[in-house]
Amino acid sequence: MSNMPVILWTDAMIFLLLATVLAAALWIRKRPHLVLPWQRVAKGSVGMVSLLVLSLFVLVGLLDTMHYRAALPEKSNGQTVYSAEVLSVFDALAIGLRSRTEKTYSAPLAAYLYAKESIETTDGKIRRDYPRLLYGGAHLADPQRELQGDVLKRTVVGALVGLLIGIFLIVVGNTVIRFFVKSRIDRSSTGQEISKDGSGIFTFTKAMKNKPFRALLITALLMAMLLGVTANLAAVYHVLGTDKVGQDVLYLALKSIRTGLVIGTVTTLVMLPFALLLGIAAGYMRGWVDDVIQYLYTVLSSIPSVLLIAAAVLMMQVYIEMHPEWFETSAARADLRLLFLCLILGVTSWTGLCRLLRGETLKLREMEYIQAAQAFGVSSSRILTRHIVPNVMHIVLIAVVMDFSSLVLAEAVLSYVGVGVDPSTMSFGTLINSARMEMGREPMVWWTLAAAFGFMLVLVLAANLFADAVRDAFDPRLNRTEAVA
C-alpha cells in the first residue's frame, strides 16, 4: 500500500532553488576564476564550521519538505483512500517525538506534569500532587530516586555512541575519498607525476595538519555526540519539555526549521532579481532611469513595512477563506499563505540591496578600465556581464545571507503579532507567540521560549558567520590587499 506524494508550492520553490544551486555549482566548477573564492572560503575555519552547522539545518528542512499523504487501510469502491493529513519524511523519522503527546505542560527531562492536579488514591481519597507523565520517564519505577542517575547514564552512553558513529563515518568518508582520488589519478595521463609528490592523495594524517579541517572534524564529532545524547534521551524523555497541549517542544522546534528556511530562501528568490536588475540599471544608465528607480524604492521604503505586510496578509487570508474549495487539505491552505508571505516580504525587502548596488555601480562606472572599454566601443551588455556584475557579487552574497538572517527574525516578529504564517504552521514565531502567556504563569513555563530562542540563535549566528567568510573571500579589494602584502 503506497503513499501519495504531495508537492506544495513552497516544496516546488525549494526544489527549484536546490536544482539551481546544483547547476550553478557544476557551472562554477569548470571556471577556475570562480572556484578560487570558494577555495578561500574552504581555507577558513569559521566559514567551514558555520557551513557544517547550516548544512544540518538544511538537511532537517529538506527532510521536512518531502511531503506525502498516507494510505488508509480501508478502500472506497476498490480505490485506495488517503489521509487528509499531509506528513513529511521528517515526520516519519520523528514518529516517536510526534506521537508521544502528554496531557499538558511538563518540564524538560521530567517524569511528572508541571502543575499539581487532584489525584484519587487507591483508598478513595483525593490529594493534590504532580501526576506521572504517560511517556516521559515512564520506564522508571521511582522517578524521584532514579531520574538523575538515568539521565546521566543515558547522556554518557549517547555521547559515546554518537562519538563512535562520527568516527566511523569519518573513516568511511576518508576511505571513499581516497579510493576515488586514487582511481582518478590512475586514469590521468599525468598520474605518475601526481602520485610521486603525493599531492593528489587525500590522507587523514595529511588533512589533520590543515587547521580548517581540524576545526571541522572537532565540530563534527561534537555535533555527533550532541545528536547521540539527544536521540538517546528523546527515546524515553521530553528533552525540551512539552507545551500546553502536551506536544514535544523539541519536535515543534525541529519542524520550525523548514519554515525559517523557506522564509529566508524563497523571499531571497523574489527579492534578488528586483534588487540586482534595478540597482545596476540605476547606477550604470543614470539619467531618468536612475531618477525613476530612486523614486520607486524611496517611496516603497517610506511605507511602514509591517503595516504593508499586515494589510497584504490579511487580505490574502480573507480571500483564501472565501474559496475553501481550492484546497484539498489544510496543509495546502497554510502553505499558500506561507508562499504569499514570502512574496510580500520579497517585494518590500529589495530596496536596501538595490541602494547598495546602485552606489557601487556608480563608483565602478567611473573606473579607468570601464571608461577604456566604453571608448573602444564595447557593448553595455558585455561591460555589465564581464566587469560590473562580477565586482558587485560580493555585495550581493553578503546582503543575501544577511537578509536571510533578518527574514528569519522578521517571520518571528510577524507571527508574534498575528500576521505571519498560518497558526497551524509550525515556526519560531508561533512558538514565541504561544510562549507569550506562558511566561506570566506561576510557576513560569520558560522552555518553549528558550527552545525557539536557542534554535534561532544558532541558525542566524551560523548564517552570519558564513556570510562574513563569503564576503572576505569574494571582496576583490580584500583579495588585492592580500596579494600586495
Side-chain angles (χ1 to χ4, degrees), residues 243-461:
D243 64 356
K244 185 176 182 179
V245 296
Q247 289 182 298
D248 192 280
V249 174
L250 176 60
Y251 171 74
L252 298 179
L254 292 173
K255 288 285 290 184
S256 301
I257 292 175
R258 177 187 180 272
T259 304
L261 294 177
V262 168
I263 291 288
T265 55
V266 176
T267 303
T268 301
L269 283 177
V270 177
M271 172 267 293
L272 192 57
F274 287 99
L276 192 60
L277 295 177
L278 296 181
I280 293 179
Y284 185 78
M285 301 180 70
R286 297 188 297 188
W288 66 270
V289 176
D290 187 18
D291 294 336
V292 171
I293 294 175
Q294 281 193 79
Y295 179 79
L296 179 62
Y297 69 63
T298 302
V299 171
L300 192 57
S301 300
S302 303
I303 303 174
S305 58
V306 175
L307 296 180
L308 181 60
I309 294 170
V313 169
L314 291 175
M315 287 190 297
M316 182 64 179
Q317 182 178 352
V318 172
Y319 195 74
I320 289 175
E321 292 177 353
M322 292 176 60
H323 300 85
E325 69 278 1
W326 289 357
F327 312 100
E328 295 184 6
T329 61
S330 59
R333 183 180 67 248
D335 184 76
L336 183 61
R337 177 169 172 176
L338 175 60
L339 177 63
F340 187 78
L341 178 62
C342 295
L343 295 178
I344 189 62
L345 282 172
V347 170
T348 57
S349 62
W350 61 271
T351 56
L353 179 57
C354 180
R355 186 181 288 110
L356 289 174
L357 293 177
R358 173 186 173 273
E360 187 69 13
T361 305
L362 283 173
K363 183 185 72 174
L364 291 174
R365 193 180 189 278
E366 304 302 323
M367 300 296 289
E368 290 81 358
Y369 62 92
I370 300 292
Q371 298 290 336
Q374 293 175 340
F376 279 104
V378 180
S379 63
S380 297
S381 60
R382 188 171 180 83
I383 293 176
L384 290 173
T385 56
R386 293 295 298 272
H387 300 295
I388 301 294
V389 174
N391 282 283
V392 300
M393 283 309 296
H394 66 283
I395 296 179
V396 174
L397 287 171
I398 187 67
V400 164
V401 183
M402 292 298 291
D403 284 345
F404 170 83
S405 304
S406 62
L407 289 169
V408 173
L409 300 175
E411 181 276 326
V413 175
L414 293 173
S415 297
Y416 176 77
V417 299
V419 294
V421 299
D422 191 85
S424 63
T425 302
M426 298 177 189
S427 70
F428 296 123
T430 54
L431 283 180
I432 295 174
N433 189 31
S434 64
R436 176 180 53 179
M437 300 303 296
E438 298 172 359
M439 298 298 292
R441 288 173 53 93
E442 181 59 38
M444 181 176 62
V445 179
W446 53 268
W447 48 86
T448 304
L449 182 63
F453 174 80
F455 274 82
M456 286 182 61
L457 174 64
V458 175
L459 176 60
V460 173
L461 180 62

Side-chain angles (χ1 to χ4, degrees), residues 141-188:
D142 186 4
Q144 294 182 351
R145 183 174 57 86
E146 302 174 0
L147 180 62
Q148 293 184 355
D150 185 67
V151 169
L152 180 60
K153 177 183 176 182
R154 289 183 173 273
T155 299
V156 174
V157 172
L160 291 177
V161 172
L163 180 62
L164 293 176
I165 293 176
I167 294 175
F168 173 76
L169 293 177
I170 290 172
V171 172
V172 171
N174 178 58
T175 304
V176 171
I177 292 175
R178 288 187 62 185
F179 173 77
F180 280 106
V181 171
K182 190 175 185 303
S183 300
R184 185 176 179 181
I185 292 175
D186 293 340
R187 292 194 302 265
S188 175

Side-chain angles (χ1 to χ4, degrees), residues 3-323:
N3 300 321
M4 181 175 68
V6 175
I7 299 180
L8 303 175
W9 282 102
T10 54
D11 296 342
M13 297 291 286
I14 292 177
F15 293 145
L16 176 62
L17 177 62
L18 186 61
T20 303
V21 170
L22 292 177
L26 294 176
W27 185 75
I28 292 174
R29 187 169 176 264
K30 300 178 181 179
R31 290 159 176 80
H33 67 285
L34 297 178
V35 175
L36 184 60
W38 292 108
Q39 291 177 342
R40 297 194 190 102
V41 175
K43 294 179 181 179
S45 301
V46 176
M48 295 306 296
V49 169
S50 58
L51 179 60
L52 178 62
V53 176
L54 281 176
S55 300
L56 185 60
F57 279 91
V58 171
L59 177 61
V60 174
L62 290 178
L63 292 176
D64 203 19
T65 299
M66 304 174 188
H67 291 102
Y68 66 92
R69 291 170 62 184
L72 299 177
E74 65 271 10
K75 294 186 177 182
S76 177
N77 298 327
Q79 296 182 349
T80 304
V81 179
Y82 296 95
S83 172
E85 184 180 15
V86 177
L87 302 176
S88 68
V89 174
F90 175 78
D91 292 326
L93 296 175
I95 185 64
L97 297 177
R98 178 172 169 269
S99 60
R100 293 188 291 117
T101 303
E102 305 291 350
K103 183 178 181 180
T104 183
Y105 297 113
S106 66
L109 300 175
Y112 297 91
L113 288 178
Y114 197 58
K116 289 184 176 181
E117 294 184 356
S118 298
I119 303 175
E120 184 177 357
T121 60
T122 55
D123 56 358
K125 296 181 180 180
I126 302 297
R127 64 183 178 89
R128 297 283 294 177
D129 202 352
Y130 298 99
R132 285 289 301 272
L133 297 178
L134 296 176
Y135 302 99
H139 64 292
L140 301 177
D142 186 4
Q144 294 182 351
R145 183 174 57 86
E146 302 174 0
L147 180 62
Q148 293 184 355
D150 185 67
V151 169
L152 180 60
K153 177 183 176 182
R154 289 183 173 273
T155 299
V156 174
V157 172
L160 291 177
V161 172
L163 180 62
L164 293 176
I165 293 176
I167 294 175
F168 173 76
L169 293 177
I170 290 172
V171 172
V172 171
N174 178 58
T175 304
V176 171
I177 292 175
R178 288 187 62 185
F179 173 77
F180 280 106
V181 171
K182 190 175 185 303
S183 300
R184 185 176 179 181
I185 292 175
D186 293 340
R187 292 194 302 265
S188 175
S189 59
T190 59
Q192 187 176 358
E193 298 177 3
I194 299 176
S195 299
K196 185 177 180 179
D197 64 7
S199 60
I201 301 179
F202 176 88
T203 62
F204 185 80
T205 304
K206 185 183 299 183
M208 282 301 294
K209 298 178 181 179
N210 190 315
K211 184 178 179 181
F213 182 83
R214 289 200 305 268
L216 199 63
L217 179 63
I218 294 173
T219 305
L221 293 178
L222 290 176
M223 290 174 59
M225 294 173 64
L226 179 61
L227 292 176
V229 171
T230 304
N232 200 28
L233 289 174
V236 292
Y237 294 104
H238 299 288
V239 179
L240 297 179
T242 57
D243 64 356
K244 185 176 182 179
V245 296
Q247 289 182 298
D248 192 280
V249 174
L250 176 60
Y251 171 74
L252 298 179
L254 292 173
K255 288 285 290 184
S256 301
I257 292 175
R258 177 187 180 272
T259 304
L261 294 177
V262 168
I263 291 288
T265 55
V266 176
T267 303
T268 301
L269 283 177
V270 177
M271 172 267 293
L272 192 57
F274 287 99
L276 192 60
L277 295 177
L278 296 181
I280 293 179
Y284 185 78
M285 301 180 70
R286 297 188 297 188
W288 66 270
V289 176
D290 187 18
D291 294 336
V292 171
I293 294 175
Q294 281 193 79
Y295 179 79
L296 179 62
Y297 69 63
T298 302
V299 171
L300 192 57
S301 300
S302 303
I303 303 174
S305 58
V306 175
L307 296 180
L308 181 60
I309 294 170
V313 169
L314 291 175
M315 287 190 297
M316 182 64 179
Q317 182 178 352
V318 172
Y319 195 74
I320 289 175
E321 292 177 353
M322 292 176 60
H323 300 85

